[in-house]
Amino acid sequence: MPGRTVRAVLSALPALALAAGALFAPDAQAQDMKPNILLIVSDDTGWGDLGPYLGGAARGMPTPAFDKLADEGMFFTNFYGQPSCTPGRAAMQTGRIPNRSGMTTVAFQGQGGGLPAAEWTLASVLKTGGYKTYFTGKWHLGESDYALPNAQGYDVMKHAFLYHLNAYTYADPAWHRNMSPDLREMFAKVTTGSLSGNAGEKATEDFKVLGNADTPKDGKVGIPYLDAYVQDTAYGFLEDAAKDPDTPFFINVNFMKNHQPNIPHPDFIGKSISKSDYADAVVELDARVGNVLKKLDDLGLADNTLVVYTVDNGAWQDVYPDSGYTPFRSTKGTVREGGSRVPAIVRWPGKVEPGSKSDAIVGGLDLMATFAAAAGVDLPTEDREGQPIIFDSYDMTPVLTGSGESKRKDWFYFTEDELSPGAVRVGNFKYVFNLRGDDGAKTGGLAVDTNLGWKGAESYVATVPQVFDLLADPQERYDIFMTTFTESTWAVVPANEAVKEKMKTYIKYPPRKLQSETYTGPITLSRYQRFKWVREQLEKDGVNIGMPTGN
């Protein structure tokens, strides 16, 4: 009977559904697998250089690989690095504001030192979750043995470079011909080339970074060829990881470009639309990132790999035209938006919606908590020497998966010598105390004055900060404290509280000694005598930034 037939079919449906579920539901074991993590970092690349950020071909440098990555994942509009290379990379590796680790500024080669052995890194934390860890490319976190990647949680480092690109020109006789022979000899002696080594081993030098040719057999490889070595090393890491599919991996790939001097590989000379060195270097970067991602795909690793691309710091407008583009005010080395706001793109199949965008306030600091959460490991409460440790990192997973909002509501901006931040963003308002990089007031927000950028003197506001509404005024052109903000001065209370709470953390978690030398002004009796008072004041009451409540 038809009725009985229908009932029979309906009664069979649950069983059919279970069978279909068994055929098409993800393997429970596969669901429990820890994701692989691939972190790609480039140097000094501008917020406006890449296609997803209205750059790419529109700016004379097509970026099809970055365009594809953004189509397959999520790109961020409010992602922050730090004002320069070393603090930017330290913040990413440690999940801590740079003054906590002492990694606040760039060191010359020969100074030694570097990332303290007591710090946790992305690699050492992920090692606790059973990850195999690899590093290649720019490190820039010191040159002492304890500070190298293979001593900081990475199982394997290959072709690690300890400095920014320009540092490798100091010892090269083709550059700086006015340098004295004695000084050149000194730089040649102290400048380390490409380093490789496994954890627990003494690193070995592969070749010097010298000349303009790819001659590793002669012990010399020129700047144009370095990123090819980084790319090929990434291939090898991925192939090695694919041989052990049951062990999750973390691979950190750091391309040397786009730090000046941007000298593209011969294969990329003239390949950009605009034919400039910088544009050609961006085209090379895009191709190499695309090649690494294709290798990941070809090896069948993409579906279970979280891919993150970002940059250490904002574009270095002071060295224009050999620099990236930023629509924001000022340059690398300052607490303006141009110093710290960077591009970032994340791909995570099955987790991140393809073609999505996030305006959440997040940054390189947040990679630590995010990777730990993805790996299912807890962040340590003690450093690697057993002392209490604090992280400034927030888990971005809710933002990535669309399951919630970021817990981060503020961002702190620091230059090399600051404990109290030079600026703080809370929500859409930014409060600027340190006016270094104060270009744009007379010449327009996009103009660059090389006497007011990174080179410029620090100058602190006397009574109230400059206040900018970054949603209405992302270029920080209009200080609104005495105009539309005067009837909304209540909005400065959260900023004051945020700074106060951050400063209080220095009592239980004191910053480490600065790991590189920089001039911070004269050593005076008054500063020395004030030091003890500041420590006592922090411990007793914290620090309040006095704010007028009206006009």
Side-chain angles (χ1 to χ4, degrees), residues 174-204:
W175 292 78
H176 315 297
R177 286 173 289 179
N178 60 337
M179 186 185 292
S180 70
D182 290 346
L183 185 57
R184 191 182 308 283
E185 182 181 356
M186 184 277 292
F187 277 124
K189 186 179 298 183
V190 301
T191 303
T192 303
S194 169
L195 284 180
S196 296
N198 296 331
E201 298 177 355
K202 176 75 174 176
T204 58

Side-chain angles (χ1 to χ4, degrees), residues 445-475:
L446 301 185
V448 174
D449 184 334
T450 56
N451 289 316
L452 290 174
W454 200 355
K455 179 180 169 184
E458 292 180 334
S459 176
Y460 290 89
V461 292
T463 306
V464 297
Q466 292 183 344
V467 180
F468 302 96
D469 182 344
L470 289 180
L471 299 188
D473 177 25
Q475 294 178 349

Side-chain angles (χ1 to χ4, degrees), residues 88-108:
R89 291 166 190 275
M92 277 189 270
Q93 288 292 337
T94 67
R96 286 153 51 83
I97 55 177
N99 61 32
R100 296 199 193 279
S101 62
M103 303 298 293
T104 65
T105 190
V106 173
F108 274 98

Side-chain angles (χ1 to χ4, degrees), residues 204-223:
T204 58
E205 190 174 55
D206 309 303
F207 51 74
K208 293 289 187 184
V209 180
L210 284 172
N212 196 36
D214 186 10
T215 55
K217 290 183 179 179
D218 296 332
K220 296 186 296 184
V221 172
I223 287 174

Side-chain angles (χ1 to χ4, degrees), residues 404-421:
E405 296 184 354
S406 171
K407 291 183 179 179
R408 178 182 291 285
K409 304 302 179 188
D410 49 42
W411 189 264
F412 298 93
Y413 308 71
F414 296 90
T415 55
E416 314 81 81
D417 194 39
E418 292 177 320
L419 276 182
S420 58

Side-chain angles (χ1 to χ4, degrees), residues 33-37 126-127 129-134 155 237-238 240-250 301 304:
M33 288 176 61
K34 295 175 184 285
N36 304 313
I37 301 172
L126 290 172
K127 285 292 294 177
Y131 277 68
K132 189 166 185 180
T133 55
Y134 306 80
D155 295 318
F237 287 168
L238 288 167
D240 184 65
K243 296 173 184 175
D244 185 12
D246 294 329
T247 301
F249 65 76
F250 168 52
L301 298 170
N304 191 41

Side-chain angles (χ1 to χ4, degrees), residues 508-526:
K508 185 176 180 181
Y509 311 100
R512 303 192 195 278
K513 177 183 178 294
L514 292 181
Q515 298 299 303
S516 57
E517 300 171 6
T518 186
Y519 182 69
T520 59
I523 300 173
T524 63
L525 283 172
S526 58

